Amino acid sequence: MEQLLQQKTLMISSMTKEGKPFISYAPFVKVEEKFYIYISETAEHYENLCHNKEIAVMLIEDEQTAKTIFARCRVSFNCTASLLEAEDEKIWEAFEQVQGSELLQVLKTLDFHMFELTPHTGRLVKGFGKAYNLTLKEGKWEQDQATGMGHGQGKPMGHPGRM
């Protein structure tokens, strides 16, 4: 999971005011167990995050380095998004380290705002049959093997609806 968290962007799944799903991405930093994104008011997901604070985010292994395209390593989190009125200096320092200070200085003069994403639960997939539910306990993510009826377990083989 740590390797996935070293990426510079994450995908964001949010809902529009009309209740329609929307997916996008944003540069991010992780400070302690929270994620921070710095986005423009003109970005579609900005309004979505202001309107509905419950979102999901995902980080996924690059296609070029994946052993198989069908089971790319990935981690997703259900989060609550909060617009920050003031940013902590350690968050800015983390952004400058990861994203570069020159660009951030320019963005600070524009219509960009910081959101704090607080993860509640998650799912880590390390490959076929290697899915783990994530729960944050005392500042550490605990992993429990995911079980269920996925991938045809307990169902007839073949495509649904075909015999």
Side-chain angles (χ1 to χ4, degrees), residues 104-129:
L104 283 172
Q105 294 307 317
V106 173
L107 297 179
K108 284 181 180 181
T109 66
L110 302 174
D111 65 342
F112 279 67
H113 302 277
M114 184 85 65
F115 281 85
E116 178 180 80
L117 310 180
T118 303
H120 305 290
T121 59
R123 171 71 64 101
L124 173 64
V125 177
K126 297 180 181 180
F128 289 118

Short mmCIF file of all heavy atoms in Angstrom, two decimals, residues 104-129:
data_model
loop_
_atom_site.label_atom_id
_atom_site.label_comp_id
_atom_site.label_asym_id
_atom_site.label_seq_id
_atom_site.Cartn_x
_atom_site.Cartn_y
_atom_site.Cartn_z
N LEU A 104 3.08 25.81 -7.09
CA LEU A 104 2.16 26.13 -5.99
C LEU A 104 2.10 27.63 -5.73
O LEU A 104 1.03 28.16 -5.41
CB LEU A 104 2.58 25.40 -4.72
CG LEU A 104 2.20 23.92 -4.71
CD1 LEU A 104 2.81 23.21 -3.52
CD2 LEU A 104 0.70 23.75 -4.72
N GLN A 105 3.21 28.32 -5.89
CA GLN A 105 3.20 29.78 -5.69
C GLN A 105 2.27 30.45 -6.71
O GLN A 105 1.56 31.40 -6.37
CB GLN A 105 4.62 30.35 -5.79
CG GLN A 105 5.53 29.88 -4.67
CD GLN A 105 4.96 30.13 -3.29
OE1 GLN A 105 4.40 31.18 -3.00
NE2 GLN A 105 5.10 29.15 -2.41
N VAL A 106 2.27 29.95 -7.93
CA VAL A 106 1.36 30.49 -8.95
C VAL A 106 -0.08 30.15 -8.61
O VAL A 106 -0.97 31.01 -8.67
CB VAL A 106 1.74 29.95 -10.35
CG1 VAL A 106 0.69 30.36 -11.39
CG2 VAL A 106 3.12 30.42 -10.77
N LEU A 107 -0.35 28.90 -8.23
CA LEU A 107 -1.71 28.48 -7.93
C LEU A 107 -2.31 29.24 -6.75
O LEU A 107 -3.51 29.48 -6.71
CB LEU A 107 -1.76 26.97 -7.65
CG LEU A 107 -1.37 26.06 -8.81
CD1 LEU A 107 -1.43 24.60 -8.39
CD2 LEU A 107 -2.21 26.32 -10.04
N LYS A 108 -1.47 29.63 -5.81
CA LYS A 108 -1.95 30.39 -4.64
C LYS A 108 -2.54 31.74 -5.04
O LYS A 108 -3.34 32.30 -4.30
CB LYS A 108 -0.82 30.60 -3.64
CG LYS A 108 -0.47 29.38 -2.83
CD LYS A 108 0.65 29.70 -1.85
CE LYS A 108 1.04 28.52 -1.01
NZ LYS A 108 2.10 28.81 -0.04
N THR A 109 -2.17 32.25 -6.22
CA THR A 109 -2.70 33.53 -6.68
C THR A 109 -4.01 33.37 -7.46
O THR A 109 -4.63 34.34 -7.83
CB THR A 109 -1.68 34.27 -7.58
OG1 THR A 109 -1.51 33.51 -8.79
CG2 THR A 109 -0.34 34.43 -6.88
N LEU A 110 -4.40 32.13 -7.68
CA LEU A 110 -5.61 31.85 -8.46
C LEU A 110 -6.75 31.42 -7.53
O LEU A 110 -6.70 31.64 -6.33
CB LEU A 110 -5.30 30.77 -9.50
CG LEU A 110 -4.15 31.10 -10.48
CD1 LEU A 110 -3.83 29.91 -11.36
CD2 LEU A 110 -4.51 32.32 -11.31
N ASP A 111 -7.77 30.80 -8.10
CA ASP A 111 -8.98 30.42 -7.36
C ASP A 111 -8.91 29.01 -6.77
O ASP A 111 -9.87 28.27 -6.78
CB ASP A 111 -10.20 30.54 -8.28
CG ASP A 111 -10.15 29.54 -9.43
OD1 ASP A 111 -9.05 29.01 -9.72
OD2 ASP A 111 -11.19 29.28 -10.04
N PHE A 112 -7.76 28.63 -6.24
CA PHE A 112 -7.57 27.29 -5.70
C PHE A 112 -7.85 27.26 -4.21
O PHE A 112 -7.61 28.24 -3.50
CB PHE A 112 -6.14 26.80 -5.97
CG PHE A 112 -5.96 26.25 -7.36
CD1 PHE A 112 -6.06 27.08 -8.47
CD2 PHE A 112 -5.70 24.91 -7.55
CE1 PHE A 112 -5.89 26.58 -9.74
CE2 PHE A 112 -5.54 24.39 -8.83
CZ PHE A 112 -5.64 25.23 -9.92
N HIS A 113 -8.37 26.10 -3.75
CA HIS A 113 -8.70 25.91 -2.34
C HIS A 113 -8.27 24.52 -1.90
O HIS A 113 -8.27 23.58 -2.69
CB HIS A 113 -10.20 26.08 -2.11
CG HIS A 113 -10.71 27.42 -2.53
ND1 HIS A 113 -10.62 28.53 -1.72
CD2 HIS A 113 -11.29 27.83 -3.68
CE1 HIS A 113 -11.14 29.55 -2.36
NE2 HIS A 113 -11.54 29.17 -3.55
N MET A 114 -7.97 24.39 -0.62
CA MET A 114 -7.51 23.13 -0.04
C MET A 114 -8.68 22.38 0.60
O MET A 114 -9.47 22.96 1.34
CB MET A 114 -6.45 23.43 1.02
CG MET A 114 -5.82 22.21 1.64
SD MET A 114 -4.44 21.57 0.67
CE MET A 114 -3.27 22.92 0.78
N PHE A 115 -8.75 21.10 0.28
CA PHE A 115 -9.70 20.20 0.91
C PHE A 115 -8.93 19.15 1.69
O PHE A 115 -7.91 18.63 1.22
CB PHE A 115 -10.57 19.47 -0.13
CG PHE A 115 -11.68 20.30 -0.69
CD1 PHE A 115 -11.45 21.16 -1.76
CD2 PHE A 115 -12.96 20.22 -0.16
CE1 PHE A 115 -12.48 21.92 -2.29
CE2 PHE A 115 -13.99 20.98 -0.69
CZ PHE A 115 -13.76 21.84 -1.75
N GLU A 116 -9.46 18.83 2.86
CA GLU A 116 -8.93 17.74 3.66
C GLU A 116 -9.85 16.54 3.46
O GLU A 116 -11.07 16.67 3.59
CB GLU A 116 -8.92 18.15 5.14
CG GLU A 116 -8.44 17.06 6.08
CD GLU A 116 -8.47 17.53 7.51
OE1 GLU A 116 -9.60 17.52 8.11
OE2 GLU A 116 -7.42 17.94 8.02
N LEU A 117 -9.27 15.40 3.12
CA LEU A 117 -10.04 14.18 2.91
C LEU A 117 -9.73 13.23 4.06
O LEU A 117 -8.60 12.79 4.21
CB LEU A 117 -9.68 13.53 1.57
CG LEU A 117 -9.69 14.44 0.34
CD1 LEU A 117 -9.32 13.66 -0.91
CD2 LEU A 117 -11.03 15.15 0.18
N THR A 118 -10.74 12.94 4.84
CA THR A 118 -10.57 12.06 6.00
C THR A 118 -11.09 10.67 5.64
O THR A 118 -12.30 10.48 5.47
CB THR A 118 -11.34 12.61 7.21
OG1 THR A 118 -10.89 13.94 7.49
CG2 THR A 118 -11.13 11.73 8.44
N PRO A 119 -10.19 9.69 5.50
CA PRO A 119 -10.64 8.34 5.15
C PRO A 119 -11.26 7.63 6.36
O PRO A 119 -10.82 7.82 7.50
CB PRO A 119 -9.36 7.64 4.70
CG PRO A 119 -8.25 8.41 5.30
CD PRO A 119 -8.75 9.81 5.55
N HIS A 120 -12.29 6.83 6.08
CA HIS A 120 -12.98 6.07 7.14
C HIS A 120 -12.73 4.58 7.00
O HIS A 120 -12.39 3.92 7.96
CB HIS A 120 -14.48 6.36 7.11
CG HIS A 120 -14.78 7.81 7.20
ND1 HIS A 120 -14.58 8.54 8.35
CD2 HIS A 120 -15.25 8.69 6.28
CE1 HIS A 120 -14.90 9.79 8.14
NE2 HIS A 120 -15.32 9.92 6.90
N THR A 121 -12.94 4.07 5.81
CA THR A 121 -12.72 2.66 5.51
C THR A 121 -12.04 2.57 4.15
O THR A 121 -12.02 3.56 3.40
CB THR A 121 -14.04 1.86 5.48
OG1 THR A 121 -14.88 2.43 4.46
CG2 THR A 121 -14.73 1.88 6.82
N GLY A 122 -11.53 1.40 3.83
CA GLY A 122 -10.88 1.25 2.53
C GLY A 122 -10.84 -0.19 2.08
O GLY A 122 -11.29 -1.11 2.78
N ARG A 123 -10.28 -0.37 0.89
CA ARG A 123 -10.09 -1.70 0.31
C ARG A 123 -8.76 -1.68 -0.42
O ARG A 123 -8.51 -0.82 -1.26
CB ARG A 123 -11.23 -2.01 -0.64
CG ARG A 123 -11.13 -3.24 -1.50
CD ARG A 123 -11.25 -4.58 -0.79
NE ARG A 123 -12.50 -4.89 -0.16
CZ ARG A 123 -13.43 -5.69 -0.68
NH1 ARG A 123 -13.27 -6.23 -1.86
NH2 ARG A 123 -14.53 -5.94 0.00
N LEU A 124 -7.91 -2.63 -0.09
CA LEU A 124 -6.62 -2.81 -0.74
C LEU A 124 -6.68 -4.08 -1.56
O LEU A 124 -7.06 -5.13 -1.04
CB LEU A 124 -5.51 -2.90 0.32
CG LEU A 124 -4.11 -3.26 -0.18
CD1 LEU A 124 -3.55 -2.19 -1.11
CD2 LEU A 124 -3.18 -3.48 1.01
N VAL A 125 -6.31 -3.99 -2.84
CA VAL A 125 -6.26 -5.16 -3.71
C VAL A 125 -4.83 -5.31 -4.17
O VAL A 125 -4.27 -4.42 -4.81
CB VAL A 125 -7.23 -5.02 -4.92
CG1 VAL A 125 -7.10 -6.22 -5.84
CG2 VAL A 125 -8.65 -4.84 -4.45
N LYS A 126 -4.24 -6.48 -3.84
CA LYS A 126 -2.84 -6.76 -4.19
C LYS A 126 -2.73 -7.72 -5.36
O LYS A 126 -1.63 -8.02 -5.79
CB LYS A 126 -2.12 -7.36 -2.99
CG LYS A 126 -2.03 -6.43 -1.79
CD LYS A 126 -1.29 -7.12 -0.65
CE LYS A 126 -1.20 -6.25 0.57
NZ LYS A 126 -0.49 -6.95 1.67
N GLY A 127 -3.85 -8.22 -5.86
CA GLY A 127 -3.86 -9.17 -6.96
C GLY A 127 -5.07 -10.09 -6.84
O GLY A 127 -5.93 -9.90 -5.98
N PHE A 128 -5.12 -11.13 -7.68
CA PHE A 128 -6.22 -12.08 -7.66
C PHE A 128 -6.32 -12.73 -6.28
O PHE A 128 -5.34 -13.25 -5.76
CB PHE A 128 -6.05 -13.16 -8.72
CG PHE A 128 -6.24 -12.66 -10.12
CD1 PHE A 128 -5.20 -12.71 -11.03
CD2 PHE A 128 -7.47 -12.16 -10.54
CE1 PHE A 128 -5.38 -12.25 -12.33
CE2 PHE A 128 -7.65 -11.70 -11.83
CZ PHE A 128 -6.60 -11.75 -12.72
N GLY A 129 -7.51 -12.69 -5.67
CA GLY A 129 -7.73 -13.32 -4.38
C GLY A 129 -7.01 -12.66 -3.23
O GLY A 129 -6.92 -13.22 -2.15
#
